[in-house]
Amino acid sequence: MLKVIAACGNGMGSSQMIKMKISKVFKKLGVDVKVDHNSVGAAQNMASEYDAVFVSQNFVKQFANAAAHGTVIVGLKNLLSEQEIEEKIKEAGLDKK
Amino acid sequence: MLKELIDKGYYSIHDGFDNWEDAVRASVQPLIDAGAVKPAYADSIVNSVKKFGPYIVIAPDIAIPHAEDKPNVNETTLCFMKSNTPVVFDPEDHEKDARLFFVLASNDEEKHLKNLEGLMEFLSDEEFVAKLGEAKTLEEIKALL
């Protein structure tokens, strides 16, 4: 099963929204996935335990370390766009894992 | 969702703002006036945006000012603000401009999650959101609901 985490500044607003949206898109794509959410600070420390991190585009560079260790970092411009989320999941090959 | 907020007086409509900080403070003001949050909650949000950048602009034209600050929140709720002129968060990135503001306040996880789900559903209709962005008065907004 794929393990992903959604992160945002406080861990209570946009990360929850990302979690809801990506859960919906993964389900649509038929991917078995566990989605957690947390603040960027906490997620940075846990990122290596996950296959992928979903964040607002603003936060991508803060996960450079995790990216170097093989975690897929997905930056989203429009958190409400299921189309963007689906495209980026496919681009990262997360629908094939 | 928005209808309930309007009925409760948890909304405001403005022509525009000189800067994003004034806009964020104005978006929280109805909650402060109602005692739903303490004035310090607005400071927490402003500090959060200064620290993390304009990530509260979650989609074109839509901002969700919020902070993790339970001690300054008395009621788990949303609050709506419309700025008729786009508020600029990043002068170099106008994709981060916003006219629609939905303040999140939470001291109750379960209720907060329900509020977020309601908000997501409300915002999922892009055509409706575009119309809301163009609506300039309470009457025009009400006509859309």
Side-chain angles (χ1 to χ4, degrees):
Chain A
M1 185 170 62
L2 199 66
K3 263 186 86 182
V4 309
I5 187 164
C8 68
N10 299 284
M12 64 160 283
S14 43
S15 64
Q16 296 261 31
M17 289 182 157
I18 295 172
K19 180 180 169 179
M20 289 176 205
K21 281 286 179 191
I22 62 177
S23 299
K24 196 171 162 190
V25 175
F26 274 122
K27 195 176 170 191
K28 182 187 159 201
L29 296 172
V31 180
D32 192 16
V33 65
K34 181 179 184 293
V35 185
D36 293 329
H37 74 95
N38 216 317
S39 66
V40 165
Q44 278 172 327
N45 295 326
M46 302 187 289
S48 58
E49 297 165 29
Y50 291 89
D51 298 302
V53 178
F54 285 76
V55 284
S56 156
Q57 190 74 43
N58 287 63
F59 294 125
V60 168
K61 53 184 180 297
Q62 300 192 33
F63 289 91
N65 251 339
H69 286 91
T71 301
V72 175
I73 312 299
V74 181
L76 300 173
K77 281 172 85 168
N78 182 341
L79 274 48
L80 299 176
S81 168
E82 285 169 29
Q83 191 189 339
E84 180 186 343
I85 291 169
E86 183 172 336
E87 280 168 12
K88 289 189 170 165
I89 285 174
K90 286 180 175 166
E91 208 174 284
L94 292 170
D95 57 330
K96 305 268 173 3
K97 290 208 176 185
Chain B
M1 189 224 55
L2 183 52
K3 192 178 177 308
E4 287 92 64
L5 295 180
I6 289 173
D7 287 345
K8 275 183 93 171
Y10 287 6
Y11 76 96
S12 61
I13 300 165
H14 306 265
D15 289 333
F17 296 93
D18 291 338
N19 57 67
W20 67 262
E21 193 173 328
D22 286 351
V24 165
R25 290 186 186 280
S27 71
V28 185
Q29 195 59 44
L31 296 181
I32 295 172
D33 294 341
V37 303
K38 293 179 187 154
Y41 187 57
D43 301 326
S44 297
I45 296 174
V46 167
N47 291 336
S48 174
V49 176
K50 283 182 178 163
K51 185 174 171 194
F52 296 117
Y55 81 99
I56 60 167
V57 182
I58 55 163
D61 223 15
I62 303 170
I64 54 161
H66 66 283
E68 172 73 42
D69 185 14
K70 288 191 177 75
N72 285 314
V73 174
N74 299 321
E75 182 190 346
T76 300
T77 185
L78 304 172
C79 185
F80 173 70
M81 183 181 85
K82 172 74 210 304
S83 174
N84 290 333
T85 313
V87 174
V88 178
F89 281 87
D90 180 351
E92 284 165 22
D93 182 4
H94 285 290
E95 286 187 354
K96 292 286 176 192
D97 290 0
R99 291 180 297 178
L100 302 171
F101 285 64
F102 295 88
V103 179
L104 317 177
S106 167
N107 62 8
D108 175 340
E109 295 292 329
E110 210 172 308
K111 190 169 177 212
H112 174 60
L113 211 54
K114 281 210 180 86
N115 285 348
L116 277 182
E117 279 168 1
L119 179 60
M120 298 285 275
E121 202 184 301
F122 181 78
L123 295 174
S124 62
D125 182 346
E126 282 181 28
E127 206 177 311
F128 171 76
V129 170
K131 281 182 190 158
L132 193 58
E134 294 302 323
K136 290 188 165 56
T137 62
L138 181 60
E139 287 66 37
E140 286 176 27
I141 291 169
K142 276 185 168 170
L144 295 172
L145 303 176

